[in-house]
Each structure stands twice: as structure tokens, then as C-alpha cells.
Amino acid sequence: MEDTFQRLYEQYHQDLFQFLFYMVRSREQAEDLVQEVYIRVLKSYNKFEGRSSEKTWLISIARHVAIDWFRKQKTLKQRIFDKFDWDQQQVVDHTQPLPEEFAIQNEQIKKIYQSLNTCSLDQRTVIILRYIQDLSISETAEVLGWTVSKVKTTQHRAIKQLKKDMENTLNEEGIAIEKKRVE
């Protein structure tokens, strides 16, 4: 079992970390959640039947760990309340810049990543699994416990949402550039 666990860790640790990092947007929290995934793997590996690949099984566990973490977080109303600076009467962004953001040179990739926040949790999960983790539609369906049709529909809606947000961002930037020219 120790050799198997070591192999799983070495082979999939980066994929699990990356998936959780994109879900929770915190390096430290993602590291903690990866540890929780491996605790669950240790407890349940003997139940793994091999009907799916190890990767899809592990990402499925990671997804459940992330969902559990989100459930434990404050309510949405409280999070919004916390983001408002009542003295200055403005929204305060408490998020830390992501390590990957420093390495990303392509401005469009940054915008797409930022646009992920406008997607629902299900949409974001599908985009991460399909385009960052490179899972097929059927593997994504397996990880999520969904039908292939639901994955396709959610992916379509996510892409539509990302496109809409990207267009809005580009329009806002265009207006800002026009205003500077006029001034």
C-alpha cells in the first residue's frame, strides 16, 4: 500500500493541487485540501474498483473535498458583507495575486482566468477539468457523476459566460481608451 500511495502522490499530486488551486484560489488552502484528498485516498483505496482511471477517481475525491470546503465557508451574504469597506463605502478586494498570474505573459489568458469567476461553480469545475486538466467529456462526466449531455451543456454555458464577460471587459477597456483620447 505504501508503494501505491507514493506512486499516486508522485504521479497526480500536481494535477490535484492545480485543480484545487483553481477552485479555491488560494495556494495555502489548495495545499491543505490536497492533504485532505490523500487522507481520504488512504482511507478508501481498498474500495477503488478500477472502473475509472486513477486520475478521474482522485479528481472526483478532490472535487468532493472542495465542495465540503465551500460548504464550510461563510454564507454568500456574509462574504459580500465582508468585502464592503463600510467606512470608505467601497468594495474591498481581499484576494491575493495568484502565483501563476506573475508567470502569465499573455494578457488574454489573464482575462480568461479572471472571467472564470463569473461562472457558476459547476461551470468553473467543467472548464478546469476539460481545459486545464485535459480530461475528455466522458472522463469529466465520470468525475462529476453527471451524464455526458450535462457536461456538454454546462461546458457550452460556461464558454458562453466566459465569452460574454470577455466581450464586456474588452468593451470597458475600449471605452476607457476612448475617454483618454478625448481628454
Side-chain angles (χ1 to χ4, degrees):
M1 176 63 187
E2 189 175 321
D3 290 342
T4 301
F5 184 80
Q6 185 66 31
R7 181 185 56 76
L8 288 173
Y9 184 85
E10 289 172 6
Q11 193 168 355
Y12 299 110
H13 174 77
Q14 191 59 37
D15 289 332
L16 293 173
F17 173 78
Q18 187 179 41
F19 171 77
L20 289 165
F21 179 78
Y22 282 107
M23 292 296 291
V24 302
R25 298 197 53 158
S26 163
R27 182 177 193 83
E28 294 80 19
Q29 191 60 53
E31 288 170 353
D32 290 346
L33 294 178
V34 167
Q35 297 309 311
E36 177 62 28
V37 168
Y38 282 109
I39 289 169
R40 291 187 187 186
V41 167
L42 276 173
K43 290 179 181 178
S44 64
Y45 187 77
N46 59 342
K47 296 175 188 170
F48 176 62
E49 297 173 357
R51 284 187 272 165
S52 64
S53 71
E54 289 175 334
K55 182 176 181 176
T56 57
W57 179 66
L58 290 168
I59 291 177
S60 179
I61 293 171
R63 176 180 171 262
H64 288 289
V65 166
I67 289 170
D68 290 347
W69 180 79
F70 282 121
R71 285 183 182 146
K72 291 177 187 175
Q73 298 307 301
K74 299 176 187 174
T75 63
L76 177 60
K77 185 176 178 181
Q78 184 62 45
R79 287 195 306 247
I80 291 170
F81 183 83
D82 290 347
K83 282 190 173 274
F84 197 86
D85 181 341
W86 294 103
D87 296 331
Q88 300 294 321
Q89 294 188 348
Q90 65 185 13
V91 176
V92 178
D93 186 5
H94 294 289
T95 58
Q96 303 292 322
L98 301 172
E100 273 82 346
E101 287 177 343
F102 296 114
I104 297 173
Q105 298 297 315
N106 186 326
E107 193 65 32
Q108 202 167 20
I109 293 173
K110 284 184 193 177
K111 285 181 175 65
I112 290 171
Y113 180 77
Q114 291 166 347
S115 294
L116 272 175
N117 290 331
T118 66
C119 293
S120 70
L121 182 60
D122 284 347
Q123 291 171 344
R124 189 176 351 156
T125 303
V126 168
I127 294 296
I128 292 168
L129 291 173
R130 291 281 292 124
Y131 298 104
I132 296 173
Q133 295 294 318
D134 292 323
L135 296 183
S136 68
I137 288 176
S138 59
E139 288 173 324
T140 301
E142 193 175 321
V143 165
L144 298 174
W146 294 355
T147 63
V148 166
S149 176
K150 183 173 180 181
V151 171
K152 287 179 180 178
T153 301
T154 305
Q155 176 180 305
H156 173 75
R157 289 179 180 156
I159 290 170
K160 191 174 175 181
Q161 177 62 39
L162 287 170
K163 182 180 178 192
K164 178 183 168 189
D165 188 68
M166 293 290 293
E167 287 171 351
N168 288 342
T169 300
L170 292 173
N171 286 337
E172 289 169 9
E173 288 175 359
I175 291 169
I177 290 169
E178 266 316 298
K179 283 182 180 177
K180 284 183 180 179
R181 283 188 204 161
V182 172
E183 295 171 350

